[in-house]
Every structure is written in C-alpha cells, then in structure tokens.
Amino acid sequence: MSSTGYKNIILVGGGGSLGSVLLQTLLSEPTFNVTVLARESSKAKIPSTAKVIKISDSYPHEDLVKAFKGQDAVANAITSFSVAEQLKFIDAAIEAGVKRYIPSEYGLDNNTPAARELSPVFKDKGTVQDYLRSKEGSGLTWTAIACGMWVGWSLRNNFLGLNYAARTITLTDDGKGPFSTTTLSSTALALNRILINPAPSANQIVFLSDFATSQEELVQTIERLTGEKWKRESINTAEVIPALKKAWDAGDHFAGYGLINIGFTKGTFSGHFEPEKKIWNKDLGLPVNDLEGVVKGALGEVGHPGF
C-alpha cells in the first residue's frame, strides 16, 4: 500500500447485491479498517470482521458526521432509487473531513443529456456527480466507478432482457445495441485498487469494461454453450419509453427498471464506453475476462447443469 493510500473506509449499503460484494473485497485487504454504515431497520447480515454503525433510516446530518469522523473514504452502495439522498452524505463527509467520496454509481455514464432524460435514476446519479464537482474546493475528492453491466447478476436477476427460467430474451429493438460489461468481482477489486492508490483517480470517472457485447451476441453465446435454443421477443423503444415514463410518474417503480434496462441495451445512452472513454482495467491491474468465460461463470451462478 502506498504512503498516500487510504486506511479507514466506511461503506454505506453493505448488505445489498453489490454492497455485499464490495464489503467482502474491502475486508480482504489487510491494510483497510472497514466500517459499515447501516440503517436501523436493516436486516442485512454483516460479517463480524467489519465494524457496524447503525443510524436512523432518515440519515440525520449530525449522526452522519459522527459516523464519518476519522474516515479517509466513504464508499456508497445505496440502492439505485435512493441515490439522490447522497447529497446529505456528501455534506456530512465534507464536515467530517473525509478525503474521498465514492458515489453509488456503478453503471453507465450518467453525465450525458440523453441518459439523464431517459431515466430518473440516471438523472439523480448525474446530479450527485454535479454536486461533487461543485464541492471540489472543499477538500473532498471523489471518484465515480462506471462499470457497465454485470452479465452474471443480470442472468440471476432477469436483467438485460434475460429470463433464464423461461429461456427467453426480450430484445431492445433489434437487440444489437452495444454495451460495456464488467464482472462484479472486478468492480469490487477496482474499488480496492482506487482506495490503495487514490491519487490517479481523484475527481474523475473511472470507466471499467472487460469487453462490449450486445443482447443478440449474449444470447447466441448462451445458446452455443448450452445447446439450448432461446425464444426471442422484442420491445419497440419508440412506444415503450413514453409508456414507461408515464408509469413511473404514476408511481410505478417497476417502470424505473424498464427504463434502466433500455439505457443499457439500446446502445445509444452512454453505456458503451470503448469508442470514447479511457478504460481503466489495465491501470488497476484487473483480471482479463472474455465473453465466453463470463457467460460460463454466469451459467454457473444460476446452477445450469455442467457449469
């Protein structure tokens, strides 16, 4: 660990599908002192090797400041539909003297107008980045991790149009929109590497990508490896996007997932990093992964015979 690396790390949201992976990887680094900030109502099981601070579900400012005192970095993995709450976390981090804030990002590039217009979640994540930029003179630095989408997680959670149980994929238009992908384990390892050597990533978005693929290429790979034929359905985004936005405005949070899915799979909402963005995988020393290996791993995660 470099002399400028961070030691005291507090993780927000350590019990979720992403946060639990981040937590295990943070705990694997012996130079870190890891604390988890958990809501009082949380039922998540946190490993005994992590210190846990419980806080009211409303995240009172004075309690956040107290929790963040003495911490070098705050890593946030709060759920997508609550990301706007991070503004209060940022204010508390500044008051507490935290050096680095890692927002709950972990997706596409939320700085593009098209992405922000498509999804309220993308808009909120972009607003958090804007706020962090406005606070750069406070002494707090930030790093956002944009990792594309996780294939294994998507196969387990019926995302990217995948329905493993029904062997069906719902293509976004023609299903050929490119999107960048990273494994969950590499995403978590990237966080560790950023905290160990924070200077290169200060006040930047770190773009991660093992490779870019598309829904059609993904399902063809699944079919080739399993010998099974998947059914193909499709949505017409010209019709579906307005309908999902209307449903969201009416309080249907499920519509939010639909908009996020389109953001990744359409190919035009900044989820494909390779053409324009610097990819940090090599800089961070992340493992090299390819499509076939990642799909094999994903099939193993869902218990497919032979994997």
Side-chain angles (χ1 to χ4, degrees), residues 21-266:
V21 178
L22 298 181
L23 177 57
Q24 288 291 349
T25 305
L26 288 170
L27 290 171
S28 74
E29 173 51 57
T31 59
F32 292 160
N33 295 323
V34 181
T35 301
V36 174
L37 185 71
R39 292 173 295 121
E40 287 180 347
S41 65
S42 175
K43 305 299 182 184
K45 294 182 178 179
I46 304 300
S48 60
T49 47
K51 177 183 176 182
V52 178
I53 297 175
K54 289 277 191 174
I55 191 170
S56 168
D57 286 22
S58 62
Y59 299 117
H61 176 75
E62 61 275 12
D63 291 347
L64 285 173
V65 173
K66 183 178 179 180
F68 292 166
K69 281 285 187 182
Q71 299 294 335
D72 295 315
V74 175
N76 205 315
I78 198 169
T79 179
S80 292
F81 295 118
S82 299
V83 289
E85 288 199 75
Q86 290 182 96
L87 302 187
K88 64 178 71 173
F89 288 83
I90 295 166
D91 288 340
I94 292 169
E95 186 171 332
V98 172
K99 299 172 184 175
R100 180 66 56 92
Y101 187 91
I102 314 288
S104 185
E105 189 71 25
Y106 309 106
L108 45 71
D109 183 1
N110 296 292
N111 294 277
T112 60
R116 295 191 186 192
E117 171 62 26
L118 174 69
S119 163
V121 170
F122 299 157
K123 182 179 180 180
D124 286 346
K125 287 185 175 183
T127 298
V128 169
Q129 281 195 37
D130 292 344
Y131 194 66
L132 284 165
R133 291 186 183 94
S134 77
K135 298 298 182 180
E136 288 176 6
S138 68
L140 179 71
T141 61
W142 61 275
T143 303
I145 300 175
C147 55
M149 184 40 62
W150 313 296
V151 173
W153 183 93
S154 296
L155 196 61
R156 285 187 283 110
N157 291 278
N158 288 3
F159 199 67
L160 295 177
L162 299 165
N163 185 331
Y164 172 74
R167 304 301 195 269
T168 298
I169 186 167
T170 302
L171 302 173
T172 301
D173 295 324
D174 63 4
K176 296 180 180 179
F179 53 89
S180 299
T181 69
T182 312
T183 62
L184 262 175
S185 59
S186 285
T187 302
L189 182 57
L191 175 61
N192 273 29
R193 299 280 166 82
I194 287 166
L195 295 171
I196 288 170
N197 183 26
S201 62
N203 300 330
Q204 294 189 61
I205 307 170
V206 168
F207 290 95
L208 307 178
S209 180
D210 289 328
F211 52 84
T213 187
S214 67
Q215 288 178 296
E216 184 57 46
E217 183 180 43
L218 189 55
V219 73
Q220 287 180 9
T221 304
I222 293 172
E223 290 176 329
R224 176 170 55 81
L225 291 173
T226 62
E228 298 174 345
K229 183 66 177 177
W230 278 46
K231 181 181 178 181
R232 285 160 173 75
E233 299 176 347
S234 65
I235 58 171
N236 181 334
T237 54
E239 299 173 353
V240 170
I241 290 174
L244 288 173
K245 287 184 176 181
K246 183 177 180 180
W248 171 267
D249 290 340
D252 181 2
H253 274 208
F254 185 76
Y257 289 107
L259 291 169
I260 293 170
N261 181 71
I262 289 171
F264 282 102
T265 55
K266 174 65 176 171

Side-chain angles (χ1 to χ4, degrees), residues 262-276:
I262 289 171
F264 282 102
T265 55
K266 174 65 176 171
T268 57
F269 292 104
S270 67
H272 184 206
F273 304 149
E274 280 78 355
E276 299 178 353

